[in-house]
Amino acid sequence: MLHPQFTRRQSIQAGAVGLLGLSLEHLLALRSEAAAKREKSVIFVFLSGGLAQHDSFDMKPDAPDTIRGEFRPIATATPGTQICEHLPKLASLSNHWSLVRSLTHSSNEHSAGHHIVLTGRSKLPPGFNPNKPLESDWPSMASIITGICKPKNNLPPAVVLPERLIHRTGRVIPGQTAGIMGKQHDPWFLNASAFDSAAYGAFPTYEFSHQDKKYAAKRQQFELPNLSLPEQVPGARFQDRLSLLKGLDAQRASLDSEASGGRLDPHRDRALSMILDPDVRRAFDITLQPQAVREKYGDHSFGWSLLMAARLVEAGVRLVQVNLGNNETWDTHGNAFPHLKDKLFPPTDQALAALLTDLQERGLLQDTLVVVAGEFGRTPKVFGLPQHYKLPGRDHWGAAQSILLAGGGIHAGRVVGSTDKSGAYPKTSPQTPENLAATIYHVLGIPSTDMWLDPLDRPHHIYHGEPIQELLS
């Protein structure tokens, strides 16, 4: 590749892209070491905005059309279990996953819902502010894993990708940080996707606007906004990263000097440590990643993110939170059905099915729990907002949502809980965010008696609920 001489900042950017989804490989060196001491991991797929339960995993085909919506159910590989017709790849893999149709909490507000589900705590902390994270917030599950688990293979215990969740107004959505646990336990945010207040979905192929029908995709690839190159570098130009790594090596001494001199914050220091590690850099050489694998996941941000998550848990990361869409992407107040059918479900179905198949083929699914959830479901009735949207949609509904779980040693092919005939409230086996969090911690092998310490050395319980027994026994 021909390119002008690199500054230190440019070299870091080029090297860091190897960690961001467009430049992946088999992680040969790290995989062998991680496999020798395999611990279970979790890929927590979060659908910001809330997945509508009626239109995905808890369809109500016998309900009036004002409740059931426009979609129809299809059979899965599990007898008696049906899901949405627009999730055919997942339907064919139901022997790998189970559903919980009765997750419930009391909030219908986005920020509170994010905080509740991402922390596994239904009761909001004192002084909770929906407009920004506070030091008094409960710690996210990713933060707890960061605080209590040891790093492996020069990688952090927990990673959030491809971006921090940001509201369209530019404020950071609460529930993602360590809160009272202490900022030093914040998970490592890759922030590989530049924020755009009007952009939703799996860019570039499926990026859309909830209101602008003529919207043209603005984001084309993963990037580090704070360490960006002076010109956009297409994905194809990263195929030969070896020459860029030479430029990075030339800057090793000065970078090490800055890190040791205390001029870098802990998160930047950790990132530089990953980039400067020769084994890590060799492991992320994209020339070893088969094109067929990238195509299977999909050439879009959902596919890149889940492929990256699979390789990170293979390398030893204990929890990877993957945000499939920023800016409350799944908040379909209007034009709900065309946006789900044409923009949201196709890349989600493709990437999630590829993730499950990939993990299974690599012998990792038994040791990797995959969880798919949002902050809530949708209102029982579909309605219209003609002043804003041409076609109908839904509103927020914390009382019921469906989640998908696969791998990690849990039972597959099961449906836990049910909702009433309108999909509004749990009818059987109601489950709380505390129970979901406890299930995640249990799979990770964290004892229910373990504690974490705040900056004042006060102990706090990790578990606030019970693991979902129907998935484990």
Side-chain angles (χ1 to χ4, degrees), residues 184-324:
Q184 70 272 24
H185 298 307
D186 281 349
W188 198 64
F189 294 93
L190 280 182
N191 289 331
S193 172
F195 173 71
D196 188 292
S197 62
Y200 299 87
F203 65 84
T205 313
Y206 296 96
E207 189 173 87
F208 70 101
S209 168
H210 281 300
Q211 293 178 311
D212 183 2
K213 293 184 64 176
K214 298 181 179 180
Y215 177 83
K218 301 177 181 178
R219 297 174 294 178
Q220 298 298 317
Q221 62 185 47
F222 282 173
E223 59 179 306
L224 284 176
N226 293 330
L227 296 173
S228 58
L229 291 168
E231 61 184 88
Q232 287 291 84
V233 182
R237 295 184 63 186
F238 287 107
Q239 292 298 319
D240 184 7
R241 288 184 57 250
L242 295 179
S243 61
L244 304 184
L245 294 176
K246 293 179 181 179
L248 186 61
D249 286 335
Q251 302 297 328
R252 177 186 297 273
S254 58
L255 286 170
D256 285 340
S257 175
E258 285 197 25
S260 61
R263 294 196 295 273
L264 301 174
D265 63 45
H267 291 77
R268 177 64 58 82
D269 191 21
R270 181 186 300 165
L272 291 178
S273 177
M274 293 171 62
I275 296 169
L276 291 171
D277 187 311
D279 290 334
V280 171
R281 292 185 294 112
R282 283 196 299 269
F284 282 86
D285 177 8
I286 64 165
T287 60
L288 299 177
Q289 184 66 27
Q291 179 66 25
V293 173
R294 297 197 296 273
E295 291 177 352
K296 189 174 183 179
Y297 276 86
D299 190 21
H300 45 71
S301 59
F302 286 9
W304 303 334
S305 298
L306 290 178
L307 177 53
M308 184 64 188
R311 297 301 177 263
L312 284 175
V313 298
E314 188 173 20
V317 177
R318 300 301 304 281
L319 186 146
V320 181
Q321 179 183 321
V322 182
N323 299 320
L324 288 194

Side-chain angles (χ1 to χ4, degrees), residues 100-141:
V100 174
R101 287 175 169 165
S102 52
L103 190 72
T104 182
H105 63 74
S106 61
S107 179
N108 295 334
E109 195 272 325
H110 280 298
S111 291
H114 279 74
H115 191 282
I116 287 169
V117 175
L118 293 177
T119 66
R121 304 282 295 271
S122 295
K123 184 178 180 180
L124 294 172
F128 174 76
N129 186 339
N131 295 315
K132 63 180 179 179
L134 299 176
E135 293 182 357
S136 56
D137 287 348
W138 306 136
S140 67
M141 286 183 278

